[in-house]
Amino acid sequence: MEILDRPAPPKGLGRTLARLPVHLYRMHLGRLMRGRFLLLDHTGRKSGRPRQVVLEVIEHADDGYIVCSGFGPKADWYRNVLAHPDVTIQVGRHRMDVTAHRLPPAEGGEIMARYAPRHPKAAARLVRLMGFSVDGTADDYRRVGRELPFLRLSP
């Protein structure tokens, strides 16, 4: 694994395009995301205003949903959730109150190593987008996962 250049979160047109899934959820079309994405309702850490973001579900288990901040720990939604961890999520049509818990880097590494073989094309695109170069091995994805902040959203 090699860190090429960690990009900043998108701005302008890129941000508008990245936020399109939020509008799908607002139009009650979240079911089109087929459980791979969730809508996270959170509170702005400075403004106190309600905020929304759509995130990919990296893993789902009985103890909650795992999500990742692909743009790292400086992403606004991630910092907001750390400041106010009691949030609401919507997966498809189902809404639930959850609490966000930061996961240790080693656990993030294992999660990423499990994610990559399940979604090889998406994993390869995502790590490139996040500024990493990988050789495709589980160890390389594990190293990437240790560099990214993961959260467990538990009921």
Side-chain angles (χ1 to χ4, degrees):
M1 186 256 328
E2 179 183 353
I3 300 174
L4 302 174
D5 184 26
R6 295 301 308 271
K11 296 183 190 285
L13 180 61
R15 185 177 193 278
T16 300
L17 292 173
R19 294 200 44 81
L20 283 176
V22 172
H23 299 291
L24 287 176
Y25 267 100
R26 288 179 182 167
M27 294 185 302
H28 305 287
L29 297 173
R31 66 186 179 281
L32 297 176
M33 306 286 183
R34 300 184 185 252
R36 286 250 347 244
F37 296 87
L38 59 79
L39 176 71
L40 174 72
D41 290 318
H42 57 286
T43 303
R45 67 192 175 283
K46 294 179 184 176
S47 69
R49 295 176 51 194
R51 303 287 184 207
Q52 292 182 312
V53 65
V54 172
L55 302 168
E56 183 176 6
V57 174
I58 304 299
E59 277 189 6
H60 174 237
D62 292 339
D63 62 345
Y65 293 85
I66 306 285
V67 295
C68 176
S69 177
F71 291 107
K74 293 185 179 180
D76 285 332
W77 74 265
Y78 181 78
R79 296 183 336 180
N80 290 343
V81 170
L82 291 181
H84 304 284
D86 292 327
V87 297
T88 302
I89 61 171
Q90 181 177 341
V91 182
R93 295 181 190 161
H94 300 28
R95 292 183 63 79
M96 67 184 82
D97 294 329
V98 297
T99 302
H101 306 277
R102 224 181 327 192
L103 298 179
E107 191 172 349
E110 293 308 313
I111 290 166
M112 193 68 182
R114 290 192 302 266
Y115 172 83
R118 283 196 319 265
H119 305 286
K121 290 180 183 177
R125 281 193 306 269
L126 285 170
V127 296
R128 261 194 319 275
L129 175 70
M130 294 182 286
F132 296 96
S133 173
V134 296
D135 62 12
T137 63
D139 277 343
D140 239 16
Y141 280 108
R142 191 172 286 113
R143 284 192 284 275
V144 168
R146 289 184 192 127
E147 298 291 325
L148 299 171
F150 284 84
L151 294 174
R152 175 175 283 112
L153 305 173
S154 302

